[in-house]
Amino acid sequence: MNILHLGKYFPPERGGMEAVLESFSGATGSFLENYCLVADRKGKTRIESVGSTTVHYLRQVCTFLLAPVLPGLPFVLHRLRRSGRFCVIMLHYPNPTAMLALFLSLLALKKQEKIVVWNHADILLEERWKRALYAFFRPIEEFIFRRADAFVAATPKHASSSGTFRRFTDRTEVIPYALPDSWFIIDEREKEEAAKARERVGGPFLLFVGRLVPYKGLSTLVRAADRISCRIAIVGTGPLEQELEKEIRARGLSDRVLLLGEVRDIRPYYLACEFFVLPSVSGLEGFGIVQIEAMAMGKPVICSDLPTGVTYVNIHGETGLVFPKGDDAALAEACGRLLSDKEFKDQLGRNARERTLRMFSNKALAFAAAPFFNRLCGRDA
């Protein structure tokens, strides 16, 4: 079966949707032909093979509301649809650029493929102008949603907490996010690099990895920092970077909270940290792939109590700890509990790795995806 994925970017670009595209393609390559249509920030339009996956890059001219602007996408998508090659179009959403291109193509060419919407997170907007703009876009979104043959959620909590999924429960399937098999393998070189990472940070540290954007809740982590008895390493870039730097300096935390920017190889930092922290404050954090990246390397997670897939991944008292979102005192207390009880922390880390292997591996993804696509395309075994 040929599957056309409409994504944003493809690794090495970091991001949750990008990681899903890579892991899904790797896990299903034995029974699906995956073709990914994505943006390239700096390169030119081209088609490359990445393992068994075909990646079709389109040159990006800019971004708008975190989405790539691709003038050529409607034409390329329409040409691919006219070829009749694809059994399924998988729209990775939110992705208004791709949704608009699919909308335009469906107006010109009758639907002949199955359409699947993998809804990674509902659209939640705080600024009034963004809500007004989204109101104009909603009819296009509704047009696609009503023509979708199926929706995919990454966890049962996605399906139960999302307004989108609640509207389409009869068409919703759960397929877990996953990590490639290679992620679980830790070699001696990485252990040496982990020791160097700890030295660079200046001793024991807890870790955050992600974009520096409001919904990640980094202000909660900074407010808690003076009550946490180790350093905090923050990996990533984003629009809040300068604001965070100012807050860290104003609180006199420059030697305790380190903004490391982009890190080429993040694995040694996962391996070196005491544990991972995800203090997100919004349902925009639908899962947190960074959680399973850390857990696969035997690290417990402290996350906020979002009613999304975040707390399905990290189970309080089993693979890590959960604290009330935005509560810096509770976050500091949770960090103190793990830092003061090594045996408990190590046991959570072992449980975390085992849960990731069992539920968020390529094998688990393929086990869920194969029967779903067979049913969808009328190829039940």
Side-chain angles (χ1 to χ4, degrees), residues 93 96 99 103 123 125 130-146 163-164 167-168:
Y93 199 65
M99 180 167 273
F103 167 75
I123 294 178
L125 302 171
K130 289 182 181 178
R131 293 199 299 269
L133 190 62
Y134 180 46
F136 284 103
F137 186 76
R138 282 293 300 275
I140 295 174
E141 182 184 74
E142 191 67 15
F143 178 93
I144 299 297
F145 282 0
R146 291 197 175 277
T164 299
R167 292 178 57 206
F168 303 105

Side-chain angles (χ1 to χ4, degrees), residues 20-35:
V20 171
L21 269 175
E22 182 179 42
S23 63
F24 182 92
S25 299
T28 62
S30 63
F31 58 91
L32 297 178
E33 294 288 337
N34 292 287
Y35 190 107

